[in-house]
């Protein structure tokens, strides 16, 4: 079956509720989690911070990360009419990568979807030097939706090309019971973490 789009859901494949971590799937294959997803009191402002890949897809992160960010933005824009702005604070460190190049790629990605106020800052608490936090703001507007759709079509096509060159056995996800263990662990961690407050819209 040809890949069409990622499936985003809540824990245990439940319908996604705004403010919860997002669990991402390519058909039956679990890819990882978008967390935290923070929302203000009137649900007009959302902040997205990072994608935590599942252990089975860590090596493919450079193909999945950009696609998932764009998919998640489109999902939020289409699914939740109250959202006016999506704030990005991309801070996940990539092992064995040039932090400057990673930051530049993230800046380019955010600009491609119509985000504004895009900038990178050194990460002060990084475990190694040379890592950056990339900030940006995507606002719900017709011209930004056009940019987002265009970027999403391109990222989906790049991902299809990637899949065509990866043997099926290398893409086999964990067994179902291992997925449930992962979901429970992520859900428990999400419940115990404290979210930062967002400004009201």
């Amino acid at each position: 079956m040809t890949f069409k789009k990622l499936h985003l859901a809540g824990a245990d494949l439940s319908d996604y509720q705004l403010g919860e971590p997002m669990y991402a799937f390519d058909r039956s294959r679990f890819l990882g989690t978008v967390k935290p997803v923070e929302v203000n009191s009137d649900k007009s402002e959302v902040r997205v911070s990072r994608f935590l890949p599942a252990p089975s897809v860590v090596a493919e992160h450079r193909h999945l990360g950009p696609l998932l960010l764009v998919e998640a933005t489109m999902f939020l824009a289409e699914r939740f009419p109250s959202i006016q702005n999506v704030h990005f604070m991309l801070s996940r460190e990539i092992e064995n990568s040039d932090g400057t190049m990673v930051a530049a790629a993230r800046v380019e990605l955010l600009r491609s979807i119509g985000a504004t106020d895009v900038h990178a800052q050194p990460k002060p608490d990084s475990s190694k030097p040379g890592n950056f936090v990339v900030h940006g703001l995507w606002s719900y507007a017709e011209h930004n939706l056009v940019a987002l759709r265009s970027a999403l079509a391109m990222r989906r096509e790049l991902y299809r090309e990637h899949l065509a060159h990866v043997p099926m056995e290398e893409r086999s996800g964990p067994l179902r019971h291992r997925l449930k263990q992962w979901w429970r662990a992520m859900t428990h961690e999400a419940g115990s973490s404290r979210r930062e407050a967002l400004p009201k819209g």
Side-chain angles (χ1 to χ4, degrees), residues 38-46 198-201:
E38 304 170 70
V39 60
N40 70 338
S41 59
D42 66 1
K43 298 184 179 181
S44 64
E45 308 274 335
V46 174
L198 280 173
K200 295 185 178 180

PDB file of all heavy atoms in Angstrom, residues 38-46 198-201:
ATOM      1  N   GLU A  38       1.390  22.118  24.165  1.00  0.00           N
ATOM      2  CA  GLU A  38       0.812  22.994  25.185  1.00  0.00           C
ATOM      3  C   GLU A  38      -0.247  23.906  24.566  1.00  0.00           C
ATOM      4  O   GLU A  38      -0.089  24.359  23.432  1.00  0.00           O
ATOM      5  CB  GLU A  38       1.908  23.825  25.831  1.00  0.00           C
ATOM      6  CG  GLU A  38       3.029  22.982  26.430  1.00  0.00           C
ATOM      7  CD  GLU A  38       4.204  23.837  26.850  1.00  0.00           C
ATOM      8  OE1 GLU A  38       4.066  24.593  27.831  1.00  0.00           O
ATOM      9  OE2 GLU A  38       5.250  23.752  26.201  1.00  0.00           O
ATOM     10  N   VAL A  39      -1.299  24.178  25.311  1.00  0.00           N
ATOM     11  CA  VAL A  39      -2.400  24.986  24.803  1.00  0.00           C
ATOM     12  C   VAL A  39      -2.841  25.977  25.863  1.00  0.00           C
ATOM     13  O   VAL A  39      -2.815  25.680  27.060  1.00  0.00           O
ATOM     14  CB  VAL A  39      -3.571  24.068  24.366  1.00  0.00           C
ATOM     15  CG1 VAL A  39      -4.075  23.238  25.540  1.00  0.00           C
ATOM     16  CG2 VAL A  39      -4.695  24.879  23.759  1.00  0.00           C
ATOM     17  N   ASN A  40      -3.225  27.181  25.428  1.00  0.00           N
ATOM     18  CA  ASN A  40      -3.674  28.184  26.400  1.00  0.00           C
ATOM     19  C   ASN A  40      -5.149  27.966  26.737  1.00  0.00           C
ATOM     20  O   ASN A  40      -5.800  27.058  26.227  1.00  0.00           O
ATOM     21  CB  ASN A  40      -3.407  29.606  25.885  1.00  0.00           C
ATOM     22  CG  ASN A  40      -4.302  29.987  24.724  1.00  0.00           C
ATOM     23  OD1 ASN A  40      -4.832  29.133  24.017  1.00  0.00           O
ATOM     24  ND2 ASN A  40      -4.472  31.278  24.504  1.00  0.00           N
ATOM     25  N   SER A  41      -5.672  28.801  27.612  1.00  0.00           N
ATOM     26  CA  SER A  41      -7.000  28.555  28.188  1.00  0.00           C
ATOM     27  C   SER A  41      -8.134  28.612  27.173  1.00  0.00           C
ATOM     28  O   SER A  41      -9.113  27.870  27.286  1.00  0.00           O
ATOM     29  CB  SER A  41      -7.280  29.548  29.324  1.00  0.00           C
ATOM     30  OG  SER A  41      -7.206  30.883  28.843  1.00  0.00           O
ATOM     31  N   ASP A  42      -8.043  29.480  26.164  1.00  0.00           N
ATOM     32  CA  ASP A  42      -9.131  29.547  25.182  1.00  0.00           C
ATOM     33  C   ASP A  42      -8.832  28.737  23.918  1.00  0.00           C
ATOM     34  O   ASP A  42      -9.551  28.828  22.932  1.00  0.00           O
ATOM     35  CB  ASP A  42      -9.464  31.004  24.828  1.00  0.00           C
ATOM     36  CG  ASP A  42      -8.322  31.704  24.097  1.00  0.00           C
ATOM     37  OD1 ASP A  42      -7.275  31.062  23.833  1.00  0.00           O
ATOM     38  OD2 ASP A  42      -8.474  32.907  23.781  1.00  0.00           O
ATOM     39  N   LYS A  43      -7.762  27.967  23.957  1.00  0.00           N
ATOM     40  CA  LYS A  43      -7.401  27.032  22.884  1.00  0.00           C
ATOM     41  C   LYS A  43      -7.135  27.739  21.554  1.00  0.00           C
ATOM     42  O   LYS A  43      -7.322  27.155  20.479  1.00  0.00           O
ATOM     43  CB  LYS A  43      -8.483  25.970  22.706  1.00  0.00           C
ATOM     44  CG  LYS A  43      -8.686  25.119  23.945  1.00  0.00           C
ATOM     45  CD  LYS A  43      -9.691  24.015  23.720  1.00  0.00           C
ATOM     46  CE  LYS A  43      -9.846  23.163  24.980  1.00  0.00           C
ATOM     47  NZ  LYS A  43     -10.811  22.055  24.792  1.00  0.00           N
ATOM     48  N   SER A  44      -6.649  28.969  21.623  1.00  0.00           N
ATOM     49  CA  SER A  44      -6.304  29.691  20.400  1.00  0.00           C
ATOM     50  C   SER A  44      -4.804  29.654  20.113  1.00  0.00           C
ATOM     51  O   SER A  44      -4.385  29.946  18.992  1.00  0.00           O
ATOM     52  CB  SER A  44      -6.761  31.151  20.496  1.00  0.00           C
ATOM     53  OG  SER A  44      -6.065  31.831  21.546  1.00  0.00           O
ATOM     54  N   GLU A  45      -4.012  29.324  21.131  1.00  0.00           N
ATOM     55  CA  GLU A  45      -2.553  29.300  20.991  1.00  0.00           C
ATOM     56  C   GLU A  45      -2.033  27.918  21.395  1.00  0.00           C
ATOM     57  O   GLU A  45      -2.378  27.399  22.457  1.00  0.00           O
ATOM     58  CB  GLU A  45      -1.909  30.356  21.897  1.00  0.00           C
ATOM     59  CG  GLU A  45      -2.467  31.755  21.753  1.00  0.00           C
ATOM     60  CD  GLU A  45      -1.792  32.532  20.641  1.00  0.00           C
ATOM     61  OE1 GLU A  45      -0.625  32.209  20.313  1.00  0.00           O
ATOM     62  OE2 GLU A  45      -2.411  33.473  20.108  1.00  0.00           O
ATOM     63  N   VAL A  46      -1.192  27.357  20.544  1.00  0.00           N
ATOM     64  CA  VAL A  46      -0.606  26.044  20.812  1.00  0.00           C
ATOM     65  C   VAL A  46       0.905  26.156  20.672  1.00  0.00           C
ATOM     66  O   VAL A  46       1.409  26.882  19.813  1.00  0.00           O
ATOM     67  CB  VAL A  46      -1.154  24.980  19.830  1.00  0.00           C
ATOM     68  CG1 VAL A  46      -0.439  23.652  20.015  1.00  0.00           C
ATOM     69  CG2 VAL A  46      -2.644  24.807  20.026  1.00  0.00           C
ATOM     70  N   LEU A 198       0.925  29.233  28.505  1.00  0.00           N
ATOM     71  CA  LEU A 198       1.023  30.035  27.289  1.00  0.00           C
ATOM     72  C   LEU A 198       0.248  31.325  27.504  1.00  0.00           C
ATOM     73  O   LEU A 198      -0.732  31.366  28.245  1.00  0.00           O
ATOM     74  CB  LEU A 198       0.403  29.272  26.115  1.00  0.00           C
ATOM     75  CG  LEU A 198       1.277  28.198  25.460  1.00  0.00           C
ATOM     76  CD1 LEU A 198       0.427  27.448  24.461  1.00  0.00           C
ATOM     77  CD2 LEU A 198       2.452  28.824  24.784  1.00  0.00           C
ATOM     78  N   PRO A 199       0.629  32.408  26.817  1.00  0.00           N
ATOM     79  CA  PRO A 199      -0.149  33.637  26.913  1.00  0.00           C
ATOM     80  C   PRO A 199      -1.520  33.449  26.301  1.00  0.00           C
ATOM     81  O   PRO A 199      -1.677  32.720  25.319  1.00  0.00           O
ATOM     82  CB  PRO A 199       0.687  34.642  26.096  1.00  0.00           C
ATOM     83  CG  PRO A 199       1.466  33.795  25.158  1.00  0.00           C
ATOM     84  CD  PRO A 199       1.769  32.534  25.913  1.00  0.00           C
ATOM     85  N   LYS A 200      -2.500  34.072  26.867  1.00  0.00           N
ATOM     86  CA  LYS A 200      -3.845  34.001  26.314  1.00  0.00           C
ATOM     87  C   LYS A 200      -3.890  34.737  25.002  1.00  0.00           C
ATOM     88  O   LYS A 200      -3.196  35.713  24.781  1.00  0.00           O
ATOM     89  CB  LYS A 200      -4.862  34.569  27.301  1.00  0.00           C
ATOM     90  CG  LYS A 200      -4.964  33.740  28.580  1.00  0.00           C
ATOM     91  CD  LYS A 200      -6.060  34.276  29.474  1.00  0.00           C
ATOM     92  CE  LYS A 200      -6.197  33.424  30.747  1.00  0.00           C
ATOM     93  NZ  LYS A 200      -7.246  33.924  31.624  1.00  0.00           N
ATOM     94  N   GLY A 201      -4.767  34.189  24.110  1.00  0.00           N
ATOM     95  CA  GLY A 201      -4.853  34.777  22.766  1.00  0.00           C
ATOM     96  C   GLY A 201      -5.327  36.188  22.812  1.00  0.00           C
ATOM     97  O   GLY A 201      -5.071  36.944  21.924  1.00  0.00           O
TER      98      GLY A 201
END
